[in-house]
Every structure is written in C-alpha cells, then in structure tokens.
Amino acid sequence: MVDMWAFRDAVGRWAAGGPSGPASDLARQLGLRTAVLLEGLSDLAAVEALAARRGRDLAAEGVCVVSMGGAMNVGRYAGLLGPPGLGLRLTGLCDEREQRYYDRGLERAGAPRAGFFVCVADLEDELIQALGTARVEEIIRAEGDLRPWQTFLSQPAQQGRPRHQQLRRFLGTKKGRKIRYGGLLVEALDPAQVPAPLDDLLTSL
C-alpha cells in the first residue's frame, strides 16, 4: 500500500537531484491534487495535528503536507510540485521575514501567491501567543521538561527577555523538541484559539 511518507521521501530525493519518476508515479497512485509547502517538520506536525483534531484525512483528500527543510527551498519545491512539475495546487505557510523567497519562488513556478498564509514570526510563536505563556509552561511541565526549562531560564542570555520569546527559543534548543511540541501545542488549543494563518490554511484545503 502506498503511503504519504513514501511520496515525501521521493520528493526529497527529487529535490536533491534525484529522478522525478518515483515521485510522479506515487502522486498518481495517491490521487494527489494539492501540496502544502511548509518550512520544517514542526510546522508539518502542527498542520497534521490540527487536521486530525478536525477529523480530516488529508491523504484521502489528495493533500500532501511537505517539509521543505527551509524557506529558501520554496522555489525548488514549487517548481517540482507546482505547474512546471507535477501540476499540483500549491498552498502553505510562510514567516513574514521569508516572504520575499516565497514571492520569487512562486512567481518562477507560475503558482499563485494567494494560497500562502503568513505567520508574523513563525508558527511556534503564533501558537505560544494563542495559548498564552502560562499554558505553554503547563504543557512543558506535563511533558517532563520542567528541569531543562528552568536551566534554560537561568542562562544569562535569557535574562530580561519576554516570556514568549524565551519559550519560542527553548523549543528550538534540542533536536526534535520543536517537532514534538508542534503537535502538542495544537492539541492544547481551544477551537477559538487556533491562530489565523493555521486556521485559514486548513480551511482552504
């Protein structure tokens, strides 16, 4: 049985200079119609967690969520998956500071810019702002990360910084932590708390 991870792996190899055939074949087998382009795996975890909360099976809907490994890869992925390549509809999230990369990459690929939704800093910051810092710290304690969090706060570089900035930085200090919390923070949201860019993205699919 073909799964979405096989397609993602094939796309990753294609983006790194490999053959296009495996990705193209898998896209047909999966019946893909839309690719959601995201900067990293933490964004992917958040999008898939919200889709699951809303009872949606994106794969069954012909939607593939793809981690590009950084905003500067958007031109490459848009070309492979969009009109010049597989011809999929493109949508996704981008950070405000990275918009210029998206604008150029999507223009080269002949893909509309309207399908991409902007986070002011990044999706983690949007989620922290939505939940509130006290709730995020509760989640950190529940996940057994209280001691690392306290150690992090004691560092001189963190003194005097706003709490939401400290939390955002903490999530990125250990490999895999940001990915894990991407899903956890989404799962903790009340329906009315879902950040607008994330909500708009899911609604558009």
Side-chain angles (χ1 to χ4, degrees), residues 126-166:
E126 296 272 0
L127 293 169
I128 292 166
Q129 299 275 17
L131 284 166
T133 57
R135 181 71 181 102
V136 177
E137 289 189 76
E138 288 177 7
I139 296 168
I140 287 172
R141 285 194 293 272
E143 289 299 305
D145 285 331
L146 179 59
R147 186 179 297 275
W149 169 236
Q150 291 173 331
T151 300
F152 174 81
L153 289 177
S154 70
Q155 296 174 0
Q158 300 307 318
Q159 304 309 303
R161 297 186 71 192
R163 191 59 122 208
H164 77 274
Q165 291 183 9
Q166 293 171 331

Side-chain angles (χ1 to χ4, degrees), residues 15-129:
S20 62
S24 181
D25 291 344
L26 288 168
R28 284 194 297 272
Q29 293 175 48
L30 290 164
L32 295 184
R33 58 177 180 83
T34 299
V36 181
L37 302 184
L38 302 171
E39 291 189 28
L41 290 171
S42 63
D43 298 333
L44 187 151
V47 169
E48 292 199 325
L50 183 59
R53 280 193 60 177
R54 293 183 174 178
R56 296 185 60 178
D57 183 343
L58 296 182
E61 296 175 26
V63 177
C64 180
V65 185
V66 178
S67 168
M68 301 182 295
M72 288 185 287
N73 293 325
V74 66
R76 177 70 171 155
Y77 277 82
L80 298 181
L81 301 179
L86 299 184
L88 304 178
R89 171 184 171 243
L90 300 180
T91 185
L93 294 172
C94 74
D95 301 343
E96 193 173 63
R97 67 181 179 276
E98 312 291 5
Q99 277 188 266
R100 64 188 184 278
Y101 298 120
Y102 280 73
D103 290 343
R104 289 198 295 265
L106 294 170
E107 183 179 5
R108 286 198 303 270
R113 176 68 180 77
F116 286 77
F117 303 94
V118 180
C119 300
V120 175
D122 55 25
L123 184 54
E124 286 77 27
D125 188 69
E126 296 272 0
L127 293 169
I128 292 166
Q129 299 275 17

